[in-house]
Amino acid sequence: MNLIIKFQRANQTIAAAVSIVLMLILGTNTLSAQVNFQPGYIVKNSGDTLSGWLDYRVSGVLNQSCSFRLNKDAPITVFKPDELSAYHFDNDKTFVSEKVDGAQQFIEVLFNGCVSVYFLKTALGDDRFFMRKKNAELLEVTYKEERVVENDKVYLKESAQHIIVLKKLMKDQVELFERIDQMGRPNAFNLVPLARAYQKKACPEQADAPTKRGFKLGLAIEGVGGTVNYQDIGFFTDKSYFQPGVLLHLGSARNAGKIFLRTGLLISQLEERRGTKSLLKIPIQVEYLYPGPVFRPRLAAGVSIFKPLYNSITLTAGFNVKVMKSSFLSFNYDFDVKPLTVFFLVPSNQVLGNTFSLGFYQRIAFSGKDVGNGE
């Protein structure tokens, strides 16, 4: 009977956690039309450069238009791809205007060199990559997989079109051909290193020249405090406990403060028959923060290491409310379940704990040389 009650309570808790997460996801989608202005500049077709603030949203929007204003109180001007030659965010993202499929579009510059690499996220969510030598035509690095039936078995056959394009671009460096043959599906993680390797061989005078202004990191520090209720953890009293802690949110400034590694240290003093005992929790999660102007929902998923007891799969939902330029009030809900395996791949229906907390979230931006406040 007790087992049935515990199982029902676990299922009810899981359902409540899933409901909270779904509400946060839906709330994030409804906020997608909000603006998120970041510092940067535009380059007009005349060559004139204007510094100001640019709206940073999803890639599908960034490819179609550029919303710009000279300062935060100025009116917004929307530029189409045929009205600008380029625009740039201070987080090192640059978009240039190019003709793709017969129409002008903004495409992102992933690497600028002897052979440049470009990226386009389509409205359907497809990733398209392009490359070009200086003063030459823009070539798409296309990739397709075909289903082929041989001897009554279905195989996936990889097209060679991307290999043909890459070898055409780099025909003067045949020692790279073996690398091209083995690279597989084109993406940012193999095309950019390939372009760098080509530059070192074909343009050694440019090999050491920086193509970006440096890798910038984004860091946020969050002090939190709240209540946690652990379930079925040995001889500890089943009740709510106070849990304070410090969390760090670390990510690349190139994603305009959207994707972070969330980690830190949380501590609670649990009661048992012989007194109290400290329980430490170290979350290690990938976090998505929607960069709204005031209200910023966030979701995180990953694992948590509990000392001295358990490990868990942790799902976090919450939101930040802006109170100052880089300061926020934070609201968090952590849902911990025990994994079925030691590899954390599959969650069980055993709930380990639920945590509700409030906090103060302070954002800091820094790079290799400069440290300062981020907007």
Side-chain angles (χ1 to χ4, degrees):
M1 183 66 179
N2 289 335
L3 181 62
I4 295 175
I5 292 174
K6 288 181 179 180
F7 183 77
Q8 289 176 340
R9 185 171 70 169
N11 283 339
Q12 289 171 353
T13 309
I14 292 172
V18 171
S19 298
I20 292 173
V21 172
L22 288 176
M23 285 189 293
L24 263 294
I25 293 173
L26 292 174
T28 300
N29 289 334
T30 59
L31 290 171
S32 61
Q34 292 190 24
V35 294
N36 173 36
F37 278 91
Q38 303 285 331
Y41 62 82
I42 61 173
V43 182
K44 293 185 176 181
N45 291 332
S46 62
D48 294 335
T49 299
L50 285 177
S51 296
W53 295 82
L54 296 87
D55 186 13
Y56 188 106
R57 282 189 275 175
V58 296
S59 297
V61 176
L62 296 175
N63 295 333
Q64 299 300 321
S65 64
C66 170
S67 296
F68 172 83
R69 57 186 180 188
L70 287 173
N71 55 63
K72 289 189 173 181
D73 298 321
I76 299 173
T77 302
V78 179
F79 292 96
K80 296 299 182 182
D82 57 356
E83 297 176 301
L84 297 178
S85 63
Y87 68 92
H88 173 86
F89 292 95
D90 285 356
N91 66 8
D92 285 339
K93 274 204 173 194
T94 300
F95 290 79
V96 296
S97 178
E98 296 288 346
K99 183 168 285 189
V100 177
D101 299 332
Q104 288 294 128
Q105 296 194 57
F106 291 120
I107 59 177
E108 183 183 351
V109 182
L110 298 181
F111 180 78
N112 185 25
C114 302
V115 170
S116 297
V117 184
Y118 306 93
F119 169 70
L120 172 66
K121 172 74 78 173
T122 69
L124 297 177
D126 297 325
D127 293 346
R128 298 175 66 180
F129 294 91
F130 303 83
M131 298 181 74
R132 177 171 56 197
K133 279 189 172 181
K134 284 188 177 295
N135 303 318
E137 65 176 326
L138 186 71
L139 298 176
E140 183 171 4
V141 186
T142 57
Y143 178 88
K144 292 182 180 179
E145 288 181 340
E146 297 178 313
R147 293 183 179 273
V148 179
V149 179
E150 293 182 4
N151 299 323
D152 295 328
K153 293 184 179 180
V154 179
Y155 300 91
L156 282 179
K157 183 179 179 181
E158 182 183 79
S159 73
Q161 186 60 37
H162 65 293
I163 296 175
I164 295 171
V165 171
L166 292 171
K167 288 184 176 180
K168 178 181 177 180
L169 283 167
M170 302 180 180
K171 60 185 178 182
D172 55 327
Q173 301 297 328
V174 294
E175 58 268 38
L176 293 176
F177 282 10
E178 182 178 357
R179 179 173 179 171
I180 293 171
D181 288 331
Q182 298 175 356
M183 68 180 295
R185 179 186 291 272
N187 56 58
F189 300 104
N190 53 32
L191 290 178
V192 172
L194 178 64
R196 290 187 189 277
Y198 175 83
Q199 180 151 299
K200 287 182 179 180
K201 295 178 179 294
C203 319
E205 71 282 358
Q206 299 181 31
D208 296 327
T211 57
K212 297 283 185 186
R213 292 202 271 178
F215 180 72
K216 295 183 180 180
L217 293 176
L219 173 69
I221 301 175
E222 182 182 9
V224 297
T227 60
V228 57
N229 181 267
Y230 292 112
Q231 302 177 20
D232 302 325
I233 53 171
F235 298 101
F236 294 105
T237 304
D238 188 356
K239 57 177 279 187
S240 294
Y241 296 92
F242 178 64
Q243 180 178 262
V246 176
L247 296 170
L248 300 178
H249 308 261
L250 182 65
S252 167
R254 272 186 55 79
N255 62 43
K258 289 185 176 182
I259 307 298
F260 293 90
L261 170 66
R262 181 181 188 262
T263 187
L265 179 64
L266 303 166
I267 185 169
S268 51
Q269 297 287 335
L270 307 188
E271 296 178 4
E272 60 177 353
R273 286 177 295 182
R274 293 172 295 178
T276 61
K277 190 169 186 179
S278 297
L279 179 65
L280 303 180
K281 176 181 178 181
I282 302 172
I284 304 172
Q285 298 172 285
V286 176
E287 177 183 53
Y288 174 81
L289 172 66
Y290 181 81
V294 177
F295 180 73
R296 304 186 176 187
R298 51 192 171 110
L299 297 171
V303 301
S304 289
I305 299 170
F306 288 84
K307 295 297 180 183
L309 292 173
Y310 298 102
N311 297 328
S312 75
I313 297 173
T314 304
L315 187 64
T316 301
F319 59 89
N320 295 347
V321 178
K322 189 173 185 178
V323 293
M324 290 184 288
K325 181 179 180 180
S326 299
S327 303
F328 303 80
L329 294 178
S330 63
F331 302 82
N332 305 286
Y333 169 66
D334 283 10
F335 177 64
D336 292 280
V337 295
K338 297 177 184 178
L340 282 177
T341 66
V342 295
F343 299 106
F344 299 100
L345 296 178
V346 182
S348 69
N349 63 354
Q350 291 182 282
V351 178
L352 180 59
N354 298 272
T355 307
F356 291 91
S357 63
L358 304 178
F360 184 79
Y361 182 104
Q362 179 64 45
R363 190 172 59 181
I364 303 169
F366 65 91
S367 63
K369 295 183 180 179
D370 302 318
V371 179
N373 291 331
E375 163 48 29

